[in-house]
Amino acid sequence: MRKFRAFVIASTLALSSLHGATALAKGKASKSKKVHEDAAPTASAAEVNKLKAVRLGDPKAGTFKWGMKPEEVIAQVSKSIEKKYEPRIKQSAQDPGKQQRIRDEMGREIAAVKKSYTKFEGNKSGWDVSIIGPEFEQNTGEAVIVTKEDVWTRYFFFFEDGLYKMFLAFNKDALEGKSFQDFGQGMEAKYGHAKEVYRDDKVKGGVHHVLDHYEWNAGADKLKLVDRSEFYGVYCLVLFDNEVSHRLAERRKIVNPDQKHSDSLVEAVTAKEDDGRDANDNIIDRLTGHEVKKPGEDDGKHADIVVPSPSKAPTPAEVNGSSGSESAPEKDTSVGNNGAKSNSNSSKKKSKKNDATDGLEL
């Protein structure tokens, strides 16, 4: 009898253990499935390497690597700029004056990159209300370097003196008037299928479900396509070291626990007084230095991103203004047979179709 009772108890315990193990396995499988469903697709490694290329679209010429010091990035950018000017310098070998002007132009561009190096150490500046305002916080060991390239303006972000993120703001002509969804489909054709991430904006009468960004995994990195067209007229690719980004997020929580992660310019533009009047109805004019219609009345005309190259922290007008601070390239003043200046190069340039993939050598 005792043996029978012991057998029954043992059998019951065994069945209970088996049922628990099965339920646990099902739970793990369900969780794993959810994680898989929520995970972003993997981007093309070859295309991601092109984003990191020192020379646009040419990884064979060298790539920027995470962890690089600011001086290393500046050195690589300087070499790239020198390479860009090399053909023009060679072509002007028979005209020493013209060649020197081209060298001076090159020197100013390199100097602008060096001067753009900014540490975010608590002094509010134009950067806080610029296109990269949501990309950094003060007093957390962050810094930025900026350079203009053919297709975009590239912002190099550093954490604790190590490169960890690149923010690439496309020039407006690369957008070709495409909506964010249309442009996103073009990026998916290049980098592979992406995860669409939506946000809910509170509006009168309910909530508006809006496409916030496209997202890819890229090994240990993350790649995003974000929409900055409402106030800046451009779309941007953001490539970053995911592990370092998590460490930085923890630092931000400690240093700035009450910090709101939002675009201060957007908040300024959308701020309302109690009487319903827009308290900042000319905020765009004040920040850009030229007339722009109010939100909701935009005529679709946006200026390209202008890179500030200050010796001190830039003002909002300097960061977002449309007045060019860059030197104009050396003009071709060659005279044709009829005595008129040749405009063939400028005509070709105007007729060239700009595309988001121009210069990427795809």
Side-chain angles (χ1 to χ4, degrees), residues 89-90 92-93 95-104:
I89 291 175
K90 288 181 178 179
S92 61
D95 188 340
K98 179 178 180 180
Q99 188 177 71
Q100 186 57 51
R101 290 192 294 274
I102 295 173
R103 290 185 184 277
D104 291 343

Side-chain angles (χ1 to χ4, degrees), residues 43-342:
S44 165
E47 295 301 330
V48 171
N49 284 337
K50 289 182 181 180
L51 290 179
K52 294 182 179 180
V54 174
R55 288 176 59 193
L56 186 60
D58 184 13
K60 293 181 180 179
T63 58
F64 294 106
K65 295 179 174 57
W66 300 142
M68 275 185 166
K69 301 297 182 185
E71 55 269 24
E72 292 177 301
V73 170
I74 290 174
Q76 291 279 44
V77 171
S78 298
K79 288 180 181 178
S80 177
I81 293 173
E82 289 171 356
K83 197 74 176 177
K84 179 180 71 173
Y85 279 88
E86 206 171 74
R88 290 176 61 196
I89 291 175
K90 288 181 178 179
Q91 290 170 6
S92 61
Q94 302 303 317
D95 188 340
K98 179 178 180 180
Q99 188 177 71
Q100 186 57 51
R101 290 192 294 274
I102 295 173
R103 290 185 184 277
D104 291 343
E105 181 186 335
M106 179 182 71
R108 287 192 294 271
E109 187 170 341
I110 293 174
V113 173
K114 294 178 179 178
K115 288 180 180 179
S116 73
Y117 177 49
T118 304
K119 291 184 177 181
F120 301 116
E121 298 178 320
N123 297 319
K124 295 289 184 177
S125 69
W127 288 123
D128 295 88
V129 290
S130 73
I131 193 171
I132 63 168
E135 301 299 321
F136 69 89
E137 288 186 14
Q138 300 284 351
N139 297 316
T140 53
E142 298 178 66
V144 72
I145 290 174
V146 190
T147 182
K148 287 280 288 183
E149 297 177 359
D150 294 337
V151 175
W152 50 49
T153 299
R154 189 186 324 219
Y155 300 82
F156 299 90
F157 283 92
F158 301 84
F159 174 51
E160 296 179 338
D161 283 335
L163 178 65
Y164 87 97
K165 177 169 69 175
M166 288 190 291
F167 183 94
L168 312 167
F170 283 95
N171 298 334
K172 66 173 184 178
D173 54 3
L175 274 59
E176 294 186 314
K178 294 178 181 177
S179 68
F180 185 52
Q181 287 85 349
D182 290 340
F183 195 81
Q185 290 175 4
M187 293 296 99
E188 285 186 304
K190 184 188 302 296
Y191 301 106
H193 179 64
K195 176 183 178 182
E196 295 182 358
V197 180
Y198 288 79
R199 69 175 188 274
D200 291 330
D201 289 345
K202 292 182 179 179
V203 295
K204 289 183 179 180
V207 175
H208 189 200
H209 202 51
V210 182
L211 177 60
D212 187 74
H213 65 269
Y214 291 86
E215 184 177 309
W216 296 264
N217 281 318
D221 302 339
K222 286 279 189 182
L223 176 64
K224 293 182 179 181
L225 175 68
V226 298
D227 187 355
R228 292 286 189 273
S229 63
E230 185 174 3
F231 295 99
Y232 305 102
V234 296
Y235 308 135
C236 311
L237 282 171
V238 190
L239 179 65
F240 58 94
D241 184 320
N242 198 35
E243 190 273 331
V244 175
S245 181
H246 282 306
R247 286 200 293 112
L248 174 56
E250 294 302 315
R251 172 74 65 83
R252 289 175 175 178
K253 289 179 183 177
I254 296 171
V255 177
N256 302 313
D258 299 324
Q259 176 74 35
K260 289 184 178 180
H261 299 277
S262 58
D263 191 326
S264 54
L265 178 62
V266 175
E267 290 184 346
V269 173
T270 57
K272 299 286 183 179
E273 291 183 350
D274 292 338
D275 60 2
R277 178 180 176 274
D278 190 343
N280 297 285
D281 55 5
N282 66 338
I283 186 70
I284 298 294
D285 295 347
R286 300 204 307 268
L287 292 178
T288 63
H290 61 85
E291 184 177 359
V292 176
K293 293 185 178 181
K294 298 176 185 179
E297 300 176 343
D298 183 28
D299 59 3
K301 296 180 180 179
H302 298 275
D304 283 339
I305 302 303
V306 175
V307 181
S309 55
S311 56
K312 59 182 181 179
T315 64
E318 290 171 332
V319 173
N320 299 297
S322 62
S323 57
S325 60
E326 298 178 11
S327 58
E330 185 71 25
K331 295 182 179 179
D332 183 1
T333 57
S334 59
V335 180
N337 294 331
N338 60 358
K341 293 181 180 179
S342 173

